[in-house]
Amino acid sequence: MSSQNNSEGKPNSARSKARRRALEILFEAEQREVTAMSALTARREKIDQIINPYTVDLVEGVTAMAEHIDEFLQTYSQGWTLERMPAVDRIILRIGTWELLYNDDVPDGVAVSEAVEMAKILSTDESPQFVNGLLGRLQQIKPTLLA
């Protein structure tokens, strides 16, 4: 079977693609200094295709919880300010943190491993280890973060 099912009960590829699209939209919004929702709307109008509902969930979730997510990332990323992080890493971490802390449909391990996979594909050689370490730390202290 070529399309493996993960513990989310769906093929890896559909959710992985949704995460990648969300990253593209969030990255575009940051680069253009527009809201993520306006970038999402522009993308919908430009490509004239249906955007995966999970992409929308991710963009909306990361946007809604941005202040908390950035506070957690800033607090627990040892020696790295958000501004110093490569933009792709920062956005991967935001998506991974939202899935880890605020989306009960995604098992914690899947949230972390998907973020690490995106970092392997889209960022620097050091990024997967950095993303894994930071999200792993948040996973360890998740109960206290959500208390």
Side-chain angles (χ1 to χ4, degrees), residues 30-141:
E30 189 173 285
Q31 296 302 305
R32 292 185 172 185
E33 297 181 356
V34 298
T35 68
M37 295 317 293
S38 65
L40 177 64
T41 301
R43 167 91 39 134
R44 274 190 175 134
E45 292 167 356
K46 196 176 358 176
I47 62 172
D48 191 36
Q49 79 184 77
I50 296 170
I51 293 180
N52 183 319
Y54 193 60
T55 298
V56 178
D57 290 348
L58 286 165
V59 171
E60 289 176 345
V62 168
T63 301
M65 300 308 293
E67 196 175 313
H68 296 290
I69 290 169
D70 284 357
E71 182 182 318
F72 295 145
L73 294 176
Q74 188 72 50
T75 301
Y76 296 101
S77 61
Q78 298 166 342
W80 284 88
T81 62
L82 284 172
E83 296 76 28
R84 257 189 79 210
M85 290 176 198
V88 171
D89 291 3
R90 186 172 49 245
I91 294 165
I92 289 170
L93 285 163
R94 286 174 176 155
I95 291 169
T97 301
W98 181 79
E99 284 192 307
L100 181 66
L101 300 179
Y102 304 110
N103 186 352
D104 295 334
D105 292 342
V106 177
D108 292 355
V110 172
V112 174
S113 65
E114 284 286 333
V116 170
E117 279 306 306
M118 278 200 295
K120 283 180 187 172
I121 296 166
L122 301 170
S123 198
T124 69
D125 290 344
E126 295 80 28
S127 294
Q129 186 176 358
F130 176 66
V131 167
N132 188 52
L134 182 46
L135 291 178
R137 177 72 180 126
L138 295 178
Q139 183 180 356
Q140 286 175 339
I141 60 173

